[in-house]
Amino acid sequence: MAAPLSVEVEFGGGAELLFDGVKKHQVTLPGQEEPWDIRNLLIWIKKNLLKERPELFLQGDSVRPGILVLINDADWELLGELDYQLQDQDSVLFISTLHGG
Amino acid sequence: CRDCFKALYVHKFRAMLGKNRLIFPGEKVLLAWSGGPSSSSMVWQVLEGLSQDSAKRLRFVPGVVYVDEGAACGQSPEDRAKTLAEVKSVLQNIGFPWHTVALEEVFGLPPAVLQGSAQEPVGTEEAYKSAVDSFLQQQHVLGGEQTHQPHTQDSPGPCSLGRSPTATQTAALCRLFDSVRTLTAKEELLQTLRTHLILHVARVHGYSKVMTGDSCTRLAIKLMTNLALGRGAFLAWDTGFSDERHGDVVVVRPMRDHTLKEVAFYNRLFAVPSIFTPAIDTKAPEKASIHRLMEAFILRLQTQFPSTISTVYRTSEKLVKAPREGRAAGPAGPRCLLCLCALDVDTDDSATAFGAQTSRLSQTLLSTPPAEAGTTTGPGCVAGEGQACCRAACNYVHRKGVQAQVMEQLCYGCRVNMKDLPSLDSLPPYILAEAQLRSQRDWVMPEVQEYLIEDSDSEAEDALVQPPGARLTTQEQGGENTGTGL
């Protein structure tokens, strides 16, 4: 049983438009059976934060190609991408590099 | 790590400029800034490059241009004002001379924008070296008092081209963009108009180079998109490091070695200010336009095959700008009215589908007023009179076929795009005016040709030997010539 986590989720480069234009979200993830990883976080974001057009943010169980993910200012590719296990007080940043956001 | 990344990033930028030796010291360079990540990063690089110690310092004089495209993207006036205020505050902090123009100003452009200057850009090795030397000497003379940055000599601050756009212009622009049927054509049109506007700003303020922030990722996408749009013949110009198609103003793309990922990371790590403005395709679904689709395709491929973008991009580097065979010598051929590339239109006898299309077009144009043509330039036509009836004929042509007239002067890619415009009448006047001018010229040309003296060397002698009557004829033709705007 993982304890509830407090993480900062941030969107940039136009991705925030899908989230009502709000860039920074301070969120508390509820405790659950399995540990929180990015895969679960994306599902949680889709359910709780995403306001419109999920296909412009997500593709399959990951983010759309062209959207960069930084965990604590480091490329998520160095941290295991979807399998990275979130820690308390982590910050996750999504930057869209797509044209027009 | 952070420091190495920065060093690499800065090095790439400088190496790109250094390798190509295109920007002369002391030259005025206009940075085209959209507020997006790549161009912001570029402006930042220039800013840092200019503030470094003398040995490594960039030695050109920059200025920034921002084009407000809000109207084309359907932004409300309040949103636009807000964005513009943000833009101005960023520009003020940068401290370069800056220009903000609204896209609406394309309705006030002179047709001269579309007339490429014949002047060849000076780009030889020796020229570069001598320019560097003279610059160094100049600096030496100035000595220690050269402590202030070059860019502060030019009054930093706003030099807006004109007042804020009028409501009618905004309405006209909205009408134009609303009338375009596909997003693909809209994006192309926006790009064309933006380029003309930037070009105009550069000429008015005496900039001889324009830097755009196209990144490697963007260029790879652009390359594939342009292929799909039928602009294959101009890939080298559209995606290469430098683009000399405009003659006196050269477009350079110094960010072409940076991937968007690098740009985004750099901007994040070093807090480069950038402004997000919704673009014309914001929130559009993936299949909305060729541009969108190609972007999704390339990026998806990139996730599976990480070298996709660099492979495509390297291809663009290898393209060589060669004039078409048989056209190497002689005067520059006709250019596309919109993208200003040398026309790739084949002659009428071409067997390609495009050739057939071309000949059909010119037939529709030619079949209409042959009678007028005969009367206008008859042998007894005096200069003044000829001018008048010429004008009448041209007006006739103009009314008869703006569509055909404009279409005839476009390259294949632009033609296909313009098909998505139900009416070309809503295009900015400078495009239509130039189209008319050119077709008038085409009318007059064959007539004048008869009287032109072929051999230029013997021209002086001929003039002396010729009886007064014959001399008069050439003069008359000359008068008519200028009358129709040659």
Side-chain angles (χ1 to χ4, degrees):
Chain A
M1 176 74 186
L5 295 174
S6 171
V7 288
E8 186 186 270
V9 181
E10 196 180 336
F11 303 95
E16 69 271 18
L17 290 185
L18 301 174
F19 299 86
D20 265 353
V22 182
K23 286 195 170 182
K24 278 195 181 181
H25 300 258
Q26 192 68 44
V27 299
T28 310
L29 303 173
Q32 60 169 17
E33 280 300 311
E34 55 207 79
W36 279 101
D37 54 18
I38 298 289
R39 192 177 280 113
N40 295 330
L41 177 71
L42 288 176
I43 297 169
W44 186 89
I45 287 176
K46 187 180 174 185
K47 266 189 211 148
N48 296 286
L49 291 180
L50 199 57
K51 295 289 191 276
E52 55 182 318
R53 303 189 203 212
E55 75 278 8
L56 293 186
F57 185 69
L58 299 166
Q59 187 186 312
D61 61 353
S62 186
V63 289
R64 240 179 110 190
I67 295 181
L68 303 175
V69 185
L70 278 82
I71 302 166
N72 300 326
D73 276 347
D75 189 356
W76 75 329
E77 285 175 24
L78 304 172
L79 300 168
E81 301 198 9
L82 290 172
D83 297 320
Y84 172 78
Q85 296 208 356
L86 285 167
Q87 315 290 318
D88 200 29
Q89 302 305 325
D90 271 354
S91 86
V92 184
L93 168 67
F94 298 89
I95 308 177
S96 170
T97 62
L98 294 162
H99 193 255
Chain B
C1 81
R2 192 186 147 103
D3 290 333
C4 298
F5 175 65
K6 183 173 183 180
L8 172 84
Y9 193 89
V10 174
H11 174 76
K12 262 194 189 180
F13 181 80
R14 307 179 65 91
M16 190 39 91
L17 286 178
K19 191 170 78 187
N20 290 284
R21 300 196 148 195
L22 256 172
I23 300 195
F24 289 25
E27 198 168 12
K28 280 181 89 178
V29 176
L30 188 63
L31 309 170
W33 181 60
S34 67
S38 307
S39 53
S40 302
S41 209
M42 175 179 77
V43 173
W44 200 254
Q45 287 293 305
V46 172
L47 189 65
E48 291 212 332
L50 284 168
S51 59
Q52 266 176 3
D53 46 329
S54 59
K56 280 182 178 173
R57 205 166 70 197
L58 296 174
R59 289 177 294 205
F60 53 83
V61 183
V64 185
V65 64
Y66 173 82
V67 180
D68 172 19
E69 299 161 4
C73 309
Q75 264 185 295
S76 69
E78 298 82 53
D79 282 348
R80 291 181 63 185
K82 217 174 91 190
T83 314
L84 211 56
E86 258 181 86
V87 164
K88 284 185 178 158
S89 80
V90 171
L91 286 173
Q92 240 135 29
N93 285 335
I94 290 170
F96 293 155
W98 49 274
H99 319 267
T100 56
V101 285
L103 196 64
E104 283 90 334
E105 285 175 40
V106 290
F107 285 95
L109 286 184
V113 175
L114 300 176
Q115 290 155 7
S117 143
Q119 184 201 345
E120 285 292 309
V122 274
T124 56
E125 279 290 276
E126 295 88 75
Y128 180 80
K129 274 187 189 137
S130 63
V132 172
D133 287 346
S134 69
F135 181 80
L136 287 177
Q137 264 170 9
Q138 195 189 341
Q139 255 196 344
H140 201 70
V141 174
L142 285 172
E145 55 182 319
Q146 185 76 356
T147 40
H148 55 290
Q149 303 297 313
H151 63 260
T152 49
Q153 296 169 351
D154 221 331
S155 63
C159 351
S160 182
L161 239 198
R163 55 289 120 191
S164 55
T166 62
T168 41
Q169 283 181 329
T170 309
L173 191 72
C174 290
R175 204 163 48 241
L176 171 61
F177 274 90
D178 284 341
S179 74
V180 183
R181 277 189 288 257
T182 58
L183 188 62
T184 307
K186 254 184 218 179
E187 284 191 41
E188 284 294 300
L189 181 66
L190 177 63
Q191 205 170 313
T192 308
L193 296 181
R194 188 200 297 133
T195 312
H196 292 168
L197 201 55
I198 293 176
L199 202 61
H200 179 69
V201 173
R203 286 197 178 132
V204 165
H205 296 276
Y207 293 98
S208 50
K209 296 275 177 344
V210 173
M211 278 189 180
T212 61
D214 296 288
S215 61
C216 155
T217 314
R218 203 53 76 211
L219 283 172
I221 294 166
K222 195 169 171 186
L223 183 116
M224 298 302 283
T225 309
N226 282 0
L227 268 180
L229 289 173
R231 301 186 46 80
F234 317 121
L235 282 182
W237 283 270
D238 284 341
T239 60
F241 172 75
S242 67
D243 177 354
E244 296 91 356
R245 81 177 77 155
H246 309 299
D248 51 347
V249 177
V250 179
V251 178
V252 285
R253 308 188 172 91
M255 298 296 287
R256 52 179 285 131
D257 251 356
H258 302 77
T259 63
L260 262 181
K261 187 169 174 175
E262 285 171 322
V263 171
F265 279 16
Y266 183 88
N267 287 0
R268 166 80 187 168
L269 289 178
F270 301 99
V272 176
S274 69
I275 291 169
F276 176 76
T277 44
I280 198 158
D281 55 353
T282 295
K283 286 196 195 170
E286 208 170 273
K287 294 192 179 86
S289 72
I290 293 179
H291 303 79
R292 269 322 293 261
L293 191 60
M294 205 53 92
E295 181 182 35
F297 168 69
I298 295 265
L299 291 175
R300 198 161 305 163
L301 212 56
Q302 170 80 6
T303 54
Q304 287 156 34
F305 307 96
S307 54
T308 305
I309 286 177
S310 57
T311 310
V312 175
Y313 157 73
R314 298 278 167 236
T315 314
S316 81
E317 257 186 344
K318 291 190 183 71
L319 293 168
V320 184
K321 298 164 200 158
R324 298 185 78 196
E325 240 172 280
R327 269 219 204 132
R335 286 169 176 271
C336 173
L337 199 58
L338 290 180
C339 66
L340 304 167
C341 286
L343 278 188
D344 57 349
V345 180
D346 278 329
T347 40
D348 294 354
D349 57 4
S350 161
T352 60
F354 184 56
Q357 191 193 359
T358 314
S359 54
R360 205 181 324 123
L361 254 173
S362 46
Q363 268 161 20
T364 53
L365 184 69
L366 287 172
S367 60
T368 32
E372 259 96 336
T375 55
T376 44
T377 37
C381 195
V382 197
E385 233 182 287
Q387 205 178 330
C389 49
C390 242
R391 187 124 318 144
C394 292
N395 281 343
Y396 181 71
V397 176
H398 181 64
R399 254 180 288 117
K400 195 74 189 167
V402 187
Q403 197 95 11
Q405 216 175 61
V406 173
M407 281 301 201
E408 204 192 31
Q409 295 171 36
L410 298 182
C411 66
Y412 176 71
C414 293
R415 252 177 224 197
V416 172
N417 261 320
M418 285 303 122
K419 278 197 184 144
D420 286 328
L421 249 77
S423 157
L424 297 177
D425 289 329
S426 44
L427 281 176
Y430 73 99
I431 294 179
L432 300 176
E434 174 69 8
Q436 198 188 346
L437 204 66
R438 284 192 196 185
S439 45
Q440 280 176 345
R441 206 174 304 166
D442 289 347
W443 276 106
V444 176
M445 251 336 216
E447 304 291 333
V448 178
Q449 210 88 61
E450 247 176 77
Y451 300 94
L452 287 180
I453 300 156
E454 293 282 304
D455 195 357
S456 57
D457 284 330
S458 57
E459 195 172 358
E461 289 170 51
D462 278 4
L464 286 172
V465 176
Q466 264 171 0
R471 188 89 179 98
L472 199 68
T473 325
T474 45
Q475 273 176 352
E476 265 178 32
Q477 282 302 325
E480 192 173 315
N481 232 344
T482 47
T484 47
L486 255 178

